[in-house]
Structures are given as C-alpha cells and as structure tokens.
C-alpha cells in the first residue's frame, strides 16, 4: 500500500459519542498534519507532528485530541463534538529537515465527518 | 500575521490559457505551493516556488515574486479535467518549523 491512507472515509456521530480518526503514511516522512476543510473556507491547520515533536494550534478546541504513536501513524480522537465540527478532515505528511524546510505535503483522501 | 488572497471562482474555455493569481502578506516566508483539488478528493501537489521566477512543468507553470508577495499559476491548453479547485499555500516559519498556510482556493470551471 502506498501514499497516505485514512479511515474511516465517512463517519456520522452524535454529540455524545467518542470516535477516532486514523491516518497512516507509507512514504517514510517525518512530519504529519491534521487539517479541517469546511465549505467556502480555507484548509485550517489543526495539529502538526514534526520531527517527533508536536506543534499545536492553540485555537483548536480540546474536544479534538491528536495522538502520534510513531512517525507513520496519526490519530485524531473526537469527543462531545458540535454540529459545526462537521467537515472533511484531511491528514497529510511531508519530509522535514532539521533546518526547518518543509517539503511537499501528500494528502490522504480525508474523512467526511457529520455530527448530528 | 498572514493574509493569502486568491479569486473565489474563474471560468475558461477548453483549449484556452488561464492565470490564477495569489497574493500574500506574511512574515517568515519560506516558499509557496500550488495544489489541485478535485471535488470530493484530496489536494495533490502541482508546484513549489521558493526563488523568484517562473517554474514550468508541462501545461502548468508557476511564478513567484517575493518582493511583491505575488504568485500565479498558469494553465495552458485547458482540458475539461482541469476543472477543480486550485489552492495557494504559503510556507511560514512557526516555532522552528515551516508550516503551510492555505488560501481559500480558486474554483476553476472549464467549459467546452
């Protein structure tokens, strides 16, 4: 299997549910990202794990919790979400050097999340 | 801070040439990416510019002027399959890393 994969592709959940999104990259990259894509809005960066360190966007609500157990896997744990959290959640990976250069990002197909 | 602007929508005719502009106002600039995103699919990489000038890759070319905070994506010999959203993303310094920040995207409609 190649590239960046995400599961599930579609998810419908209630506001009281707990679910997790999974991302796996098979490209040997050392940086992984979570983005939120809503209609008519730019891609919003949520979290970055780069060189095994987490770079957090402080504006992301605590009901979203990332986990990066190793450089190939990234999770986004969801709990008590709101209907406005319904969106396409995209995972991406890239190769980043110690000098800080970020190479091209490769995106997964995304998880279409609907919160009822 | 950063402000990335690109037109919301453009239309063009099959076989024609279209230029999609992107302007940005940022600090810590490290390069500019263009991505293509078809409806319901993930963004895919088109080009990366870090130095001023034109980068040509087949039917697609990308230009950057760092002093003017300006880039464009040029699509030649348009095909129907080029109908998609085109995302401009600026690589910005953030806490020792460089993080791509995206514009809203330009929806390109190619008609016969």
């Amino acid at each position: 299997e190649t590239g960046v994969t995400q599961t599930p592709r579609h998810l419908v959940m209630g506001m009281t549910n707990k679910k997790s999104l999974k991302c796996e990259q098979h490209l040997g990259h050392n940086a992984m990202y979570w983005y939120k894509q809503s209609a008519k809005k730019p891609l919003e960066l949520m979290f970055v794990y780069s060189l095994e360190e987490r770079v957090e966007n402080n504006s992301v609500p605590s009901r979203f919790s990332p986990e990066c157990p190793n450089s190939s896997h990234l999770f986004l744990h969801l709990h008590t979400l709101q209907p406005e959290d319904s969106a396409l959640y995209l995972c991406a990976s890239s190769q980043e050097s110690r000098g800080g250069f970020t190479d091209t990002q490769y995106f997964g197909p995304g998880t279409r999340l609907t919160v009822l | 801070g950063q402000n990335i602007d690109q037109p919301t929508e453009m239309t063009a005719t099959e076989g024609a040439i279209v230029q999609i502009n992107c302007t940005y106002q940022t600090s810590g600039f490290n390069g500019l990416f263009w991505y293509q995103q078809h409806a319901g699919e993930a963004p895919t990489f088109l080009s990366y510019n870090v130095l001023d000038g034109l980068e040509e890759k087949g039917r697609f070319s990308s230009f950057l002027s760092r002093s003017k905070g300006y880039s464009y994506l040029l699509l030649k010999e348009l095909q129907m399959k080029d109908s998609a959203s085109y995302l401009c993303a600026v690589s910005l310094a953030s806490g020792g890393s460089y993080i791509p920040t995206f514009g809203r995207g330009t929806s390109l409609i190619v008609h016969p």
Side-chain angles (χ1 to χ4, degrees):
Chain A
E1 193 164 11
T2 60
V4 182
T5 58
Q6 289 186 244
T7 54
R9 295 292 308 276
H10 299 273
L11 178 63
V12 179
M13 58 186 291
M15 290 191 287
T16 58
N17 292 159
K18 289 185 180 181
K19 296 287 184 183
S20 295
L21 308 185
K22 178 183 177 182
C23 176
E24 184 172 0
Q25 60 97 0
H26 308 272
L27 301 169
H29 290 162
N30 58 12
M32 296 187 77
Y33 311 76
W34 278 118
Y35 285 91
K36 176 183 178 182
Q37 188 173 37
S38 304
K40 308 295 184 183
K41 288 187 175 182
L43 275 170
E44 301 173 53
L45 180 65
M46 301 177 70
F47 299 104
V48 181
Y49 278 84
S50 176
L51 300 174
E52 301 179 9
E53 293 182 2
R54 177 175 165 184
V55 177
E56 183 171 358
N57 183 335
N58 293 329
S59 66
V60 179
S62 60
R63 57 186 183 269
F64 295 92
S65 175
E67 179 189 0
C68 189
N70 55 61
S71 60
S72 298
H73 294 85
L74 185 65
F75 294 89
L76 187 63
H77 303 300
L78 317 171
H79 63 96
T80 59
L81 293 191
Q82 304 297 311
E84 59 264 30
D85 296 323
S86 298
L88 180 68
Y89 288 84
L90 289 163
C91 173
S93 71
S94 69
Q95 184 65 24
E96 183 162 343
S97 69
R98 289 282 174 188
F101 172 72
T102 297
D103 206 342
T104 304
Q105 289 182 308
Y106 292 83
F107 286 84
T111 295
R112 175 67 64 184
L113 174 67
T114 302
V115 182
L116 302 176
Chain B
Q2 54 266 6
N3 188 23
I4 303 170
D5 289 316
Q6 50 181 134
T8 302
E9 186 174 295
M10 299 182 70
T11 59
T13 304
E14 191 175 16
I17 299 173
V18 71
Q19 177 175 310
I20 303 174
N21 296 325
C22 174
T23 58
Y24 61 91
Q25 299 169 335
T26 69
S27 56
F29 176 86
N30 190 57
L32 187 143
F33 296 87
W34 283 98
Y35 287 83
Q36 179 191 62
Q37 186 177 23
H38 285 100
E41 298 182 12
T44 56
F45 171 79
L46 289 178
S47 67
Y48 174 63
N49 293 69
V50 63
L51 300 176
D52 287 356
L54 187 68
E55 295 278 346
E56 297 186 77
K57 190 183 295 185
R59 294 190 298 115
F60 293 4
S61 303
S62 57
F63 171 83
L64 175 66
S65 169
R66 295 178 67 138
S67 61
K68 295 182 179 178
Y70 168 68
S71 172
Y72 67 73
L73 180 69
L74 191 71
L75 293 76
K76 303 176 184 177
E77 301 171 13
L78 281 173
Q79 302 175 9
M80 299 297 289
K81 67 178 182 179
D82 297 329
S83 293
S85 182
Y86 291 85
L87 309 177
C88 171
V90 175
S91 183
L92 303 173
S94 175
S97 296
Y98 287 88
I99 307 298
T101 301
F102 286 80
R104 293 178 180 272
T106 298
S107 177
L108 174 66
I109 301 169
V110 180
H111 54 83

